[in-house]
Amino acid sequence: QKEVEQDPGPLSVPEGAIVSLNCTYSNSAFQYFMWYRQYSRKGPELLMYTYSSGNKEDGRFTAQVDKSSKYISLFIRDSQPSDSATYLCAMSGLTGGGNKLTFGTGTQLKVEL
Amino acid sequence: DGGITQSPKYLFRKEGQNVTLSCEQNLNHDAMYWYRQDPGQGLRLIYYSQIVNDFQKGDIAEGYSVSREKKESFPLTVTSAQKNPTAFYLCASSTGDRGTQYFGPGTRLLVL
């Protein structure tokens, strides 16, 4: 079993829809949670960063962390075609040195006109 | 502009050849990382360095080598021992405080 599980998709939604992207994890030592957006053939771009449990909002994006359920989510409101990309969750904690991140495999999102 | 640069954008390797991928950052970050990305497998850590003149193996270090002689630079060599080198290679850096990593644009390596 992988430490971080993420549905690979692809997920296709109409423009304006609310998108929910999710990851589950098994290691309770994870405390730092990130979401990256990766356009095709580009490097990942940091989208959201959350420490421990709770919600964080930035514009149309909301990140949620539920440590008791080992579950994190990214919500995108009023989705746009420009949101079409692969979304990677990542997390780190006290499990290893060097600030290593453990990544999900990514969810491919397509927002259609 | 502060950021991470990787070169070249595309690289072709012949059988038995060693090739070196460049990664430079001007963010004044202490830690740097190399990942390999294959379709459906996410990012896998090859090597990382927390400080100049020191580096550690990641999960898939076999067939790769690195050096960290300067804070700004962390080149990756793909040796002939790496039998399946075709992939997208990503370099990242961070402040090393268990926070976020910032990525470069990537190098796509193809085998001739």
Side-chain angles (χ1 to χ4, degrees), chain A residues 80-93:
Chain A
Q80 304 294 311
S82 58
D83 295 328
S84 298
T86 296
Y87 290 80
L88 299 157
C89 64
M91 45 199 81
S92 70

Side-chain angles (χ1 to χ4, degrees), chain A residues 2 32 34 36 38 41-46 48-49 88 92-101 103-106, chain B residues 9-10 33 35 37 40-43 45 48 50 59 88 90 94 96-106 108:
Chain A
K2 292 180 181 178
Y32 303 85
M34 284 136 269
Y36 287 85
Q38 186 177 24
R41 301 178 186 273
K42 304 289 185 184
E45 167 195 10
L46 179 65
M48 298 288 281
Y49 168 77
L88 299 157
S92 70
L94 302 175
T95 53
N99 188 26
K100 291 192 291 182
L101 293 181
F103 286 86
T105 52
Chain B
K9 189 173 181 179
Y10 295 96
Y33 311 80
Y35 293 90
Q37 188 174 35
Q41 295 198 46
L43 275 67
L45 183 64
Y48 65 102
Q50 294 176 261
D59 302 317
F88 191 46
L90 289 159
S94 82
D97 59 353
R98 305 190 193 282
T100 56
Q101 292 180 18
Y102 298 89
F103 285 84
R108 190 164 297 276

Side-chain angles (χ1 to χ4, degrees), chain B residues 34-36 44-47 57-61 64 76 89:
Chain B
W34 274 106
Y35 293 90
R36 169 179 172 143
R44 292 185 290 169
L45 183 64
I46 304 173
Y47 268 98
K57 293 182 179 180
D59 302 317
I60 55 165
Y64 301 96
L76 173 74
Y89 289 88

Side-chain angles (χ1 to χ4, degrees), chain A residues 1-102:
Chain A
Q1 183 186 5
K2 292 180 181 178
E3 271 193 298
V4 179
E5 299 278 358
Q6 185 175 9
D7 188 334
L11 179 62
S12 184
V13 301
E15 183 180 7
I18 296 174
V19 176
S20 172
L21 304 168
N22 311 294
C23 288
T24 58
Y25 61 96
S26 57
N27 193 331
S28 57
F30 288 143
Q31 296 188 50
Y32 303 85
F33 303 92
M34 284 136 269
W35 285 95
Y36 287 85
R37 178 174 61 195
Q38 186 177 24
Y39 291 114
S40 182
R41 301 178 186 273
K42 304 289 185 184
E45 167 195 10
L46 179 65
L47 207 54
M48 298 288 281
Y49 168 77
T50 310
Y51 169 67
S52 195
S53 285
N55 293 1
K56 185 174 183 178
E57 188 174 320
D58 184 2
R60 296 185 295 112
F61 299 91
T62 299
Q64 283 187 354
V65 175
D66 182 349
K67 290 188 71 180
S68 62
S69 301
K70 297 190 179 68
Y71 188 87
I72 69 170
S73 300
L74 177 70
F75 296 95
I76 307 174
R77 291 183 297 281
D78 188 25
S79 56
Q80 304 294 311
S82 58
D83 295 328
S84 298
T86 296
Y87 290 80
L88 299 157
C89 64
M91 45 199 81
S92 70
L94 302 175
T95 53
N99 188 26
K100 291 192 291 182
L101 293 181
T102 302

Side-chain angles (χ1 to χ4, degrees), chain B residues 14-31:
Chain B
K14 294 180 182 178
E15 198 74 36
Q17 186 181 39
N18 292 353
V19 293
T20 298
L21 286 61
S22 170
C23 178
E24 304 275 334
Q25 55 99 0
N26 61 4
L27 300 168
N28 200 33
H29 285 170
D30 288 315

